[in-house]
Amino acid sequence: MNATPREIRLNAFDMACLGHIQQGMWTHPRDRATDYLSLPYWTGLARTLERGLFDGLFLADVLGVYDVHGGSQDAAVRHGVQIPLLDPMLLVPAMAAATQNLGFGVTVNLAWEPPALLARRFSTLDHLTEGRIGWNIVTGYLDSAARAMGLDRQMAHDDRYDMADEFMAVVYRLWEESWAVDAVKRDRASGVYADPSRVSRIRHEGRQYRLDAPHLVEPSPQRTPVLYQAGASDRGRAFAALHAECVFLNGGPKPHVAALVADLRARAAPRPIKAFLGATLVIGRTAAEARDKLEDYRRCASVEAALVHASASLGIDLAALDLDDELPAAPGNAIQSNVTALRAAAPRATKRALVDRMILGSRQPPIVGSAEEVADALLAWVDDADVDGFNLSRTVMPECIEDVVDLLVPVLQERGRYKRGYAPGTYREKLFGAGPRLAAPHPAAAVAR
Amino acid sequence: MNATPREIRLNAFDMACLGHIQQGMWTHPRDRATDYLSLPYWTGLARTLERGLFDGLFLADVLGVYDVHGGSQDAAVRHGVQIPLLDPMLLVPAMAAATQNLGFGVTVNLAWEPPALLARRFSTLDHLTEGRIGWNIVTGYLDSAARAMGLDRQMAHDDRYDMADEFMAVVYRLWEESWAVDAVKRDRASGVYADPSRVSRIRHEGRQYRLDAPHLVEPSPQRTPVLYQAGASDRGRAFAALHAECVFLNGGPKPHVAALVADLRARAAPRPIKAFLGATLVIGRTAAEARDKLEDYRRCASVEAALVHASASLGIDLAALDLDDELPAAPGNAIQSNVTALRAAAPRATKRALVDRMILGSRQPPIVGSAEEVADALLAWVDDADVDGFNLSRTVMPECIEDVVDLLVPVLQERGRYKRGYAPGTYREKLFGAGPRLAAPHPAAAVAR
């Protein structure tokens, strides 16, 4: 560790829908998340985040509906639990046009399209954002998404990671190998835009993917987007250690998170990894105001909607349980980070124990207090569990973000634990202080030319 | 025909690359198409088009590289012939944020992803643009694109249309059937966002596609995007007559275009179809200035780059022919609209005859003259060949668009043949003057609930 305490990093954790993590908040009279269909809602959010020097806006995504709870999609639709939902990638260009420094970490499931299509979309966004794009690599976990795509169910958990490893090998070659650094000449006098001897077709013949084509997009500032990943299973951590530059952790008790972070750092070494912990903040100008705000928000929280979300992520039909029933073992296809966080929090959890935690419409209890108290809590996480920052999920929008920007950030800055301006360069340069491209020993660097 | 001469409609025909139709123009000292990687280039273009009351910006796309000419991608890469190339969908949100009325017709190939993914992207764009999105339906024609996606070659021409028919049947049901008009309640008091009894899963089990899922996106202003299509083969025209609201025609002699338009209108009847003809304009304040401009532009035109493009669209390696060789028959996978336009223009064409037409770096000869002369020529097309408007391909950017807006549009307005303001409503309402959704007898209307 450095002698100088490190600065903490903040991402907004959001989703192109009504109810992301904290369910029911959209019913609050001041909440504006119901404007999620309009561009000004998103460009306004991006400007506020940039005013608060957030590193990034992290956008979640799913491709299916939450139909585990009660064996039906009805409760998800009724409460707006991540349905309806827009494609998050398409929010980025307008937000990029409205900002200069904010990064964008977008969740895209790699399971349902050829690598060349996904690679082109990310290269396009890396150009349009001038190097501010990141990718949260997911392979999906919902059978309902598989049914939307033409299958009966998801592939098995570890098989999805094997597929993802091959997919990554292909997209690295498209991004890093197809166009040499000196390929683009842009020479009006000779009429030569690019030197064809420096642009090569990528030939790949693997178990899941085949390709014989050049990348269609010329080199973008970062080439490979900043890579996020959230795997908590053993296979998921191995994948993260190989590929991820930033990991997203779901929470749980501090020793559990500290052990997870230490394990991920050890696996990835000597590559640095930034660890972002999911957190929900309720901040007041005073502790009393924060408690009042929590009570005000709580009146809108929906436990049923939270159970809909939890049923899908845990792979357990919580509607079928009585409050004092113990939660059964989660199936292999559940989100393991949710399962491990839950087990760490309450090894022999009942449904009642889970519901008791759902005070804001999710099983992630909020950090509540004055800006000073919340700063203390966040810095304790950084110092004790070695996390680099937080993915802040929203409550009532946009006031929950404005509270962070206007109340919390100044306190962190006074303590010397938050930046006072953005570092120059791309998203990767801002996060790691090195170059815009992935460097050895990352596998993307091994194929670069 | 009406007693009142109808107004003509203008689309800009562009592509997220350097050289779209007129090859070599990027080498002109005033051309700014090399800024195609930056958002301000596109938002500036969108604002200019809206100032000129263009109906839409039509964005082309391909998923492969032009490697027919000389059996190699080298000349395409050297001259920047539609490579490098960005994903066009991702340009739309930023341009939509910068405009209020301009429509966007985006080319997306349906062949390489599940219908649910494409349907969600278009619904997202229809929301974010507030009902200004259109889709140019294509199935691809490049074997190089098939090799990028994991196959050895394209499917056969007519099989691609069969696949497209089934794809359309699925996306219509996602867009029009899954969410009833009264599904969304957005009721804060009761906490009900949508009525689950009014949101249904779409079950489809066909030759090419399977699905058992609800649409993830709530109803957007137009539901189904405005549908463009450019098929000129018999099978392509049958597809257009069933699905397309607007067709794009590639040109050729006036009687040929008139016959094509009449045939498409007869096939689609009683459904109206808007026919847009591809055109390239070189406009001066005087006829002499226009001729000077043409000579100035011509010095930058690249015949080799134009042959690269033509080789790929015709499916003929033009590099292997001498100037006086007759062009061989095009293979079935070529773009039939290009082939039929070419044959109509020169039934026994030699390579020399083709090259002689490539005066601006494409086989589409420009209309050159003062604004009055160009207006005469365009109105003659409208009156003689029954086209509704034009897809204007670019020469030197952005001045070629500014010439249309500042010189041509006022002349057309004075003649009462061009609008003086946008009609209210969505893209579909602006084009057809009826409602925002597709109506009977369109097949999308048949599944609406």
Side-chain angles (χ1 to χ4, degrees):
Chain A
M1 298 292 261
N2 277 333
T4 315
R6 66 183 150 178
E7 293 180 345
I8 80 168
R9 296 180 173 280
L10 298 181
N11 285 334
F13 186 32
D14 209 330
M15 195 169 188
C17 64
L18 208 68
H20 175 206
I21 302 283
Q22 310 293 339
Q23 302 301 333
M25 292 298 110
W26 71 271
T27 63
H28 191 282
R30 290 196 303 276
D31 189 73
R32 289 296 160 261
T34 46
D35 294 341
Y36 79 102
L37 297 169
S38 88
L39 281 172
Y41 174 80
W42 294 102
T43 52
L45 170 63
R47 286 195 190 93
T48 304
L49 295 174
E50 189 157 278
R51 181 162 67 80
L53 305 176
F54 275 62
D55 281 284
L57 169 60
F58 185 104
L59 289 164
D61 193 32
V62 291
L63 297 176
V65 62
Y66 293 151
D67 57 5
V68 176
H69 184 268
S72 147
Q73 70 187 30
D74 288 0
V77 168
R78 185 180 306 112
H79 295 290
V81 183
Q82 302 190 3
I83 182 171
L85 170 65
L86 303 179
D87 186 314
M89 266 195 153
L90 291 163
L91 302 177
V92 173
M95 291 193 287
T99 52
Q100 300 289 322
N101 286 287
L102 184 68
F104 301 96
V106 187
T107 301
V108 181
N109 187 327
L110 57 77
W112 307 109
E113 62 183 326
L117 283 183
L118 179 142
R120 187 173 72 143
R121 292 212 305 286
F122 270 110
S123 293
T124 298
L125 287 180
D126 201 41
H127 279 297
L128 298 180
T129 62
E130 300 183 56
R132 292 189 279 146
I133 196 71
W135 174 24
N136 177 33
I137 310 161
V138 302
T139 59
Y141 67 101
L142 296 170
D143 284 340
S144 65
R147 287 193 296 271
M149 304 301 154
L151 302 182
D152 291 322
R153 63 188 64 80
Q154 288 284 319
M155 290 171 64
H157 179 271
D158 287 9
D159 292 348
R160 297 204 303 271
Y161 278 111
D162 292 344
M163 175 181 70
D165 273 326
E166 187 183 337
F167 192 99
M168 296 310 294
V170 175
V171 293
Y172 290 151
R173 295 190 62 196
L174 289 167
W175 286 324
E176 304 281 348
E177 178 187 343
S178 185
W179 292 66
V181 284
D182 58 353
V184 176
K185 305 299 182 191
R186 208 171 281 153
D187 181 5
R188 288 175 197 256
S190 66
V192 172
Y193 190 75
D195 176 353
S197 75
R198 310 295 290 150
V199 179
S200 58
R201 296 216 303 272
I202 301 301
R203 294 185 183 82
H204 173 90
E205 188 100 31
R207 273 193 62 193
Q208 302 276 350
Y209 299 106
R210 290 178 67 199
L211 182 83
D212 181 5
H215 192 36
L216 288 182
V217 188
E218 64 181 286
S220 65
Q222 301 184 118
R223 302 274 188 129
T224 299
V226 170
L227 299 177
Y228 273 85
Q229 215 264 342
S233 66
D234 187 65
R235 183 68 184 86
R237 289 190 227 180
F239 184 89
L242 185 61
H243 299 286
E245 303 174 76
C246 304
V247 292
F248 168 49
L249 306 165
N250 239 330
K254 210 172 274 183
H256 165 75
V257 171
L260 252 179
V261 173
D263 179 65
L264 281 162
R265 292 201 196 281
R267 289 184 191 226
R271 278 205 313 114
I273 276 193
K274 298 281 184 212
F276 288 86
L277 182 68
T280 309
L281 311 181
V282 178
I283 309 172
R285 275 165 298 183
T286 62
E289 188 183 86
R291 281 192 302 272
D292 290 347
K293 202 176 278 184
L294 178 69
E295 285 315 304
D296 180 41
Y297 290 0
R298 277 190 82 160
R299 280 190 285 272
C300 298
S302 169
V303 167
E304 190 191 20
L307 289 170
V308 167
H309 189 190
S311 291
S313 356
L314 299 173
I316 299 168
D317 178 4
L318 295 164
L321 300 183
D322 290 327
L323 276 174
D324 291 314
D325 285 349
E326 268 192 40
L327 304 184
N333 262 7
I335 298 185
Q336 293 301 316
S337 59
N338 283 289
V339 175
T340 57
L342 179 73
R343 291 290 162 196
R348 296 176 58 80
T350 59
K351 179 175 173 182
R352 187 187 303 277
L354 189 66
V355 167
D356 286 346
R357 294 165 61 87
M358 292 177 163
I359 58 175
L360 269 190
S362 100
R363 65 189 184 286
Q364 180 177 81
I367 299 172
V368 184
S370 67
E372 285 74 15
E373 289 168 331
V374 171
D376 288 342
L378 295 183
L379 292 173
W381 271 105
V382 171
D383 296 337
D384 301 346
D386 195 23
V387 300
D388 296 281
F390 301 88
N391 271 2
L392 299 181
S393 67
R394 58 175 152 91
T395 55
V396 172
M397 285 290 275
E399 66 183 47
C400 67
I401 298 291
E402 290 164 354
D403 285 345
V404 172
V405 172
D406 297 328
L407 303 179
L408 176 65
V409 162
V411 170
L412 292 171
Q413 286 173 326
E414 275 166 40
R415 298 192 190 182
R417 301 296 294 269
Y418 197 78
K419 59 183 163 306
R420 291 181 180 270
Y422 282 105
T426 61
Y427 194 18
R428 179 170 289 120
E429 288 165 283
K430 286 176 168 62
L431 284 170
F432 293 96
R437 294 180 69 179
L438 278 163
H442 194 284
V447 299
R449 59 164 197 166
Chain B
M1 298 288 260
N2 275 336
T4 314
R6 66 182 148 176
E7 294 180 347
I8 78 167
R9 295 182 174 279
L10 298 181
N11 285 334
F13 186 32
D14 209 328
M15 195 170 189
C17 64
L18 208 68
H20 176 205
I21 302 283
Q22 311 293 340
Q23 301 300 333
M25 293 298 110
W26 71 272
T27 64
H28 191 282
R30 290 196 303 276
D31 189 74
R32 289 294 159 265
T34 46
D35 294 341
Y36 79 102
L37 297 169
S38 86
L39 281 172
Y41 173 81
W42 294 103
T43 53
L45 171 63
R47 286 195 190 94
T48 304
L49 295 173
E50 189 156 278
R51 182 163 67 81
L53 305 175
F54 275 61
D55 282 284
L57 168 60
F58 184 104
L59 289 165
D61 193 30
V62 291
L63 297 176
V65 61
Y66 293 151
D67 56 5
V68 176
H69 184 267
S72 148
Q73 71 187 29
D74 287 0
V77 168
R78 185 179 305 113
H79 294 290
V81 183
Q82 302 189 4
I83 183 172
L85 170 66
L86 303 180
D87 186 315
M89 268 195 151
L90 291 163
L91 302 177
V92 171
M95 292 192 288
T99 54
Q100 300 288 322
N101 287 286
L102 184 69
F104 302 95
V106 186
T107 302
V108 180
N109 187 326
L110 59 78
W112 307 108
E113 61 182 328
L117 282 184
L118 181 141
R120 187 174 72 144
R121 290 212 306 285
F122 271 110
S123 293
T124 298
L125 286 180
D126 201 42
H127 279 295
L128 297 181
T129 63
E130 299 183 56
R132 292 188 280 146
I133 197 71
W135 173 25
N136 178 34
I137 309 162
V138 301
T139 60
Y141 67 100
L142 297 170
D143 284 339
S144 65
R147 287 193 297 270
M149 303 301 153
L151 302 182
D152 291 323
R153 64 189 63 81
Q154 289 284 318
M155 291 171 65
H157 178 271
D158 286 9
D159 292 347
R160 296 204 302 270
Y161 279 111
D162 292 344
M163 175 180 70
D165 273 326
E166 187 182 338
F167 192 99
M168 297 308 295
V170 175
V171 292
Y172 291 150
R173 295 190 62 198
L174 288 167
W175 286 325
E176 305 281 349
E177 179 186 344
S178 185
W179 291 67
V181 285
D182 58 354
V184 175
K185 305 299 181 194
R186 208 170 281 151
D187 182 4
R188 289 176 196 254
S190 67
V192 172
Y193 191 75
D195 177 351
S197 74
R198 309 297 288 151
V199 180
S200 59
R201 294 216 306 270
I202 301 302
R203 293 185 182 82
H204 174 89
E205 187 101 31
R207 271 193 63 193
Q208 302 276 350
Y209 299 106
R210 292 178 67 199
L211 182 82
D212 181 4
H215 191 37
L216 288 182
V217 188
E218 64 181 286
S220 65
Q222 303 183 116
R223 301 274 189 130
T224 298
V226 170
L227 299 176
Y228 272 86
Q229 215 265 340
S233 67
D234 186 65
R235 183 67 184 87
R237 288 189 227 180
F239 183 90
L242 184 62
H243 300 285
E245 303 173 76
C246 303
V247 293
F248 168 48
L249 306 164
N250 239 329
K254 209 171 275 183
H256 164 75
V257 171
L260 251 179
V261 172
D263 178 66
L264 281 162
R265 292 201 196 281
R267 290 184 191 226
R271 273 206 315 117
I273 276 196
K274 299 281 183 212
F276 289 86
L277 182 68
T280 310
L281 311 181
V282 178
I283 309 170
R285 275 165 299 183
T286 64
E289 187 183 86
R291 281 193 302 272
D292 290 347
K293 202 176 278 184
L294 178 68
E295 285 316 302
D296 179 40
Y297 290 1
R298 276 190 83 162
R299 281 190 286 273
C300 298
S302 169
V303 168
E304 191 190 19
L307 290 170
V308 167
H309 189 190
S311 292
S313 3
L314 299 172
I316 299 167
D317 178 4
L318 295 165
L321 300 183
D322 289 327
L323 277 173
D324 291 314
D325 285 350
E326 268 192 38
L327 304 184
N333 263 7
I335 299 185
Q336 293 301 314
S337 60
N338 283 289
V339 176
T340 58
L342 179 74
R343 292 288 161 197
R348 297 175 57 81
T350 59
K351 179 176 173 182
R352 187 184 304 278
L354 190 65
V355 166
D356 285 346
R357 295 165 60 88
M358 291 178 164
I359 59 175
L360 270 191
S362 101
R363 64 191 184 284
Q364 180 177 81
I367 299 172
V368 184
S370 67
E372 285 73 15
E373 290 169 330
V374 171
D376 289 343
L378 296 183
L379 292 172
W381 271 105
V382 171
D383 295 337
D384 300 347
D386 195 23
V387 301
D388 296 281
F390 301 88
N391 271 2
L392 300 181
S393 67
R394 59 174 151 93
T395 57
V396 172
M397 286 291 273
E399 68 183 46
C400 67
I401 298 292
E402 290 163 355
D403 285 345
V404 172
V405 173
D406 296 329
L407 303 178
L408 176 65
V409 162
V411 171
L412 292 171
Q413 286 173 326
E414 275 166 38
R415 299 191 190 181
R417 301 296 293 270
Y418 198 78
K419 58 183 163 307
R420 291 182 181 271
Y422 283 104
T426 62
Y427 195 18
R428 179 169 288 120
E429 289 166 282
K430 286 175 168 63
L431 284 169
F432 293 96
R437 295 181 67 177
L438 279 163
H442 194 285
V447 299
R449 60 164 195 164

